[in-house]
Amino acid sequence: MPRKVTLALIWIGFSFYAFVFAPPQQPDTFALIADLATGNWGEINPLIIALFNIMGVLPAVYACMLLFDGRGQKFPAAPFVALSFGVGIFALLPYFVLRQPNPKWNGERSWLLKILDSRACGIILTLSAIFLLVLGFTQGDWSDFVRQWQTSRFIHVMSLDFCLLCVFFPLAVKDDLARRRIESNKIFWAISLTPLLGTLAYLCLRPSLSGNDNSAIGSQAIEQS
């Protein structure tokens, strides 16, 4: 219960901050979002391009774990995960408040779950994230980004959203480890202390839910990485 209260307070506090204390909305915000979404990137700071696109990768990473909550929840994860592609942590924190620990997997995998459960999906997400991180850090104009972070609500809140999405990965990882019968605290803490790259590495190495016989192999593979 204390964790649920804490998460609820974080959600309320961040929402209040985003709409009350964050920098004001700029008149060109919707035009910027339209250009980012349609690939019209000619005049946009590559760091902002990278940040905007990685905000599509991170919800997909959450989907690879939360959509396996299955029938064990009163509220299905799918609507919250779908909304997170548009509003990020604003959609996921309410789900974390409502969900119950669910370390077991029951039921058949749909075609979507088979894709999300595959190592190929983890590898694609990892390569996409690394590409965007390299693009942002090497090609981005940091002084321009700081200026926009200080003056634009969209850039300001999106940056904080990115940080919170990375910080809360362990909430999704813990049950996913249990479902795959990986009982190593070292693996959990390795992922938790490197929340983005650690979680991506885990998606590339975790055993499939299609059979429990692979769990020990998967645990050994993660520990050796």
Side-chain angles (χ1 to χ4, degrees), residues 82-169:
L83 284 173
S84 71
F85 282 90
V87 296
I89 201 67
F90 291 102
L92 291 177
L93 277 177
Y95 180 68
F96 284 125
V97 172
L98 296 169
R99 79 184 293 273
Q100 300 296 324
N102 187 31
K104 296 182 180 180
W105 164 251
N106 296 309
E108 296 295 326
R109 296 180 305 162
S110 65
W111 64 268
L112 175 60
L113 292 183
K114 288 179 181 179
I115 292 173
L116 296 177
D117 196 33
S118 67
R119 291 185 179 179
C121 180
I123 292 171
I124 291 171
L125 290 175
T126 299
L127 293 176
S128 299
I130 291 174
F131 170 78
L132 292 169
L133 289 172
V134 171
L135 172 67
F137 279 102
T138 61
Q139 303 298 319
D141 184 337
W142 284 91
S143 60
D144 172 71
F145 177 80
V146 170
R147 179 186 62 79
Q148 294 199 56
W149 188 85
Q150 293 172 334
T151 59
S152 169
R153 176 177 296 173
F154 173 63
I155 303 300
H156 188 94
V157 173
M158 182 168 59
S159 304
L160 297 179
D161 194 1
F162 167 80
C163 295
L164 289 176
L165 283 170
C166 292
V167 166
F168 286 113
F169 273 132

Side-chain angles (χ1 to χ4, degrees), residues 3-4 7-8 11 62-63 65-84 88-102 168 171-172 175 179:
R3 188 182 76 169
K4 290 179 177 292
L7 292 173
W11 179 67
Y62 275 97
M65 295 175 284
L66 293 182
L67 292 185
F68 290 95
D69 274 353
R71 302 183 184 91
Q73 305 295 330
K74 293 182 179 179
F75 300 91
F80 297 91
V81 171
L83 284 173
S84 71
I89 201 67
F90 291 102
L92 291 177
L93 277 177
Y95 180 68
F96 284 125
V97 172
L98 296 169
R99 79 184 293 273
Q100 300 296 324
N102 187 31
F168 286 113
L171 295 179
D175 278 353
R179 289 185 197 115

